[in-house]
Amino acid sequence: MAMFSSLEHFRFTLNRLRERLWVRPLIFCLLSIVASLVAKLADGTGLAALVPHVEQSSIETLLTTMAGSMMGVATFSVASMVSAYASASSTATPRSFNLVIADDVSQHALSTFVGAFIFSVVSLTAVMNDFFGIAGLFLLIFLTILVFCFVILTFVRWVDRIARLGRLGSIIDKCEKATTRAMERRKCLPNLNGVPVNTSPEGHAIYATKVGYVQYIDVACLQSWAEANEVTLMVNALPGTFAAPGRPLAHLKTKTSKELDCADVIKAFQIGSTRLFDDDPRFGLVVLSEIASRALSPAVNDSGTAIHVIGAMVRLLTLWQQDDDGCEKEEPKFDKVEIPEINMDDMFDDAFTAIARDGAGLVEVAVRLQKAFNSLATSNLPEMRLAAKRHAAISLKRSRSAMPIEEDYTAVYEAAKLLD
């Protein structure tokens, strides 16, 4: 259990570090300093008798050129990335910002440019102070050419990515991929390795000491506390739930009347000011829905983006209903912690309510919604079939109120009839 807890903490922490723009450049800077000084080790070997003599002035010229150009390229890359981040927030939704800033290619490019600059400055300083011998100079120029080639390849790859980084289609794809990962993880662990809830909430309620969204639950910590106190915990706040003083995080089931210190239970719930994609599949549906809703606003009037998002919703919910052969179904590891599964009606509300409301008067969007519901109504999950039919009926009512042209409503009605 301790290993499971540590792995989960590591995964959560690693994902948070990936969203920090300074982490990877810092690592590349440290590696650059090591690389520029490691050439000194060659001077203590017999390599000097085997390699050609390299003029110190030629290395100084090359390193000076690299140092001057890399700072300019790094500044340009930062400006381009900031522009892409601003575009993502304005054209899509601010909730997609963390996905855009965590783009691996962009962070890798910035890190490479900054690292090459540090490498050239440190190496130039060492060369000008006669730090290297013949073998060291040869190895240094070899490393410099290697770094230069790496920078060129990174720049070409990064230009291709930055051209699409802040584009709406790219952001939708990133949101869909992040939601897919969260759904696949939750499908394998529908109860987060706890046991299903078999009773209604009862017992002593445990409330959060902070206000915010539940981002992560350390179920292993809850299990250890429950075993030590010989009780059972029932979790009420899944990741994505808004924690507030009047909303319990969990209920304590115990047969004893002794007072228990629940501080460790509260600490097991990581609470922050924003929702995260990692353990919260519903948040991905919300973000995609917000993108579609903004596209359907009168100022934008982009029904094509809404239709694109509807297709993404169908793919995600279809994935949710499929049996995943890659998941190894195991017995719950934490039998003292009861955790509910995600409610299907909530997922449909997150995915389709805003789109159905804002697209009710657009025949192309309303028809595509009915076709999406028709597809999901064939699911092998009874709760998904019921949710699809419920939202199809609500969407049809919205269209009835919003469409002044009878022919438009008839097209939507004919599409909705397929669910009967």
Side-chain angles (χ1 to χ4, degrees), residues 56-74 113 116-121 123-125 128 144 147-148 151-152:
Q56 182 172 320
S57 59
S58 63
I59 299 180
E60 290 181 6
T61 302
L62 185 59
L63 290 173
T64 301
T65 303
M66 181 180 290
S69 60
M70 283 303 98
M71 180 51 68
V73 172
F113 302 149
F117 172 75
I118 298 298
F119 170 82
S120 58
V121 170
S123 299
L124 182 61
T125 302
M128 295 179 69
T144 302
V147 169
F148 186 74
V151 166
I152 294 298

Side-chain angles (χ1 to χ4, degrees), residues 383-395:
E383 58 270 25
M384 184 173 289
R385 293 197 297 269
L386 291 174
K389 292 180 179 180
R390 179 173 67 87
H391 272 267
I394 296 174
S395 179

Side-chain angles (χ1 to χ4, degrees), residues 182-415:
M183 282 190 167
E184 288 175 342
R185 171 176 163 76
R186 183 56 66 86
K187 281 177 60 183
C188 294
L189 300 172
N191 302 102
L192 299 179
N193 254 324
V195 296
V197 174
N198 53 23
T199 59
S200 59
E202 58 183 17
H204 175 66
I206 302 173
Y207 298 94
T209 56
K210 296 192 297 185
V211 177
Y213 292 97
V214 177
Q215 299 175 335
Y216 164 74
I217 303 175
D218 191 342
V219 187
C221 179
L222 295 179
Q223 173 75 9
S224 299
W225 186 88
E227 288 178 344
N229 292 278
E230 298 180 345
V231 298
T232 299
L233 284 168
M234 185 174 67
V235 172
N236 294 95
L238 290 174
T241 302
F242 186 73
R247 190 168 188 175
L249 295 175
H251 278 83
L252 182 63
K253 296 182 178 180
T254 178
K255 296 179 180 179
T256 64
S257 57
K258 63 178 181 179
E259 292 292 332
L260 297 176
D261 183 7
C262 299
D264 289 338
V265 176
I266 297 174
K267 290 179 182 178
F269 289 81
Q270 176 73 35
I271 297 176
S273 58
T274 60
R275 296 174 70 173
L276 302 176
F277 287 89
D278 304 29
D279 299 307
D280 185 9
R282 289 180 54 191
F283 182 53
L285 299 177
V286 170
V287 173
L288 286 169
S289 180
E290 287 182 353
I291 294 173
S293 183
R294 175 169 292 189
L296 291 172
S297 65
V300 180
N301 196 24
D302 180 14
S303 57
T305 293
I307 292 173
H308 185 181
V309 170
I310 292 172
M313 297 293 195
V314 174
R315 285 191 294 272
L316 290 168
L317 291 172
T318 300
L319 171 69
W320 183 261
Q321 67 167 330
Q322 292 175 344
D323 294 329
D324 195 343
D325 297 332
C327 289
E328 296 182 4
K329 300 298 183 182
E330 302 177 359
E331 291 297 322
K333 292 184 174 67
F334 309 117
D335 59 342
K336 293 292 186 180
V337 184
E338 298 180 0
I339 302 178
E341 297 184 16
I342 297 178
N343 184 274
M344 184 62 64
D345 284 332
D346 291 340
M347 293 179 69
F348 268 74
D349 290 342
D350 294 333
F352 296 113
T353 298
I355 302 176
R357 179 198 64 215
D358 297 330
L362 301 175
V363 60
E364 64 273 22
V365 176
V367 169
R368 185 58 61 92
L369 265 177
Q370 293 297 337
K371 291 180 178 179
F373 295 138
N374 177 63
S375 176
L376 296 172
T378 62
S379 168
N380 55 0
L381 298 178
E383 58 270 25
M384 184 173 289
R385 293 197 297 269
L386 291 174
K389 292 180 179 180
R390 179 173 67 87
H391 272 267
I394 296 174
S395 179
L396 186 63
K397 290 180 180 179
R398 294 183 189 276
S399 295
R400 173 73 281 182
S401 300
M403 289 184 175
I405 307 300
E406 188 63 30
E407 287 78 6
D408 288 349
Y409 175 74
T410 300
V412 179
Y413 178 77
E414 291 297 327

Side-chain angles (χ1 to χ4, degrees), residues 42-53 133-136 138:
D43 289 327
T45 66
L47 188 62
L50 302 175
V51 298
H53 178 72
I134 295 176
F138 176 80

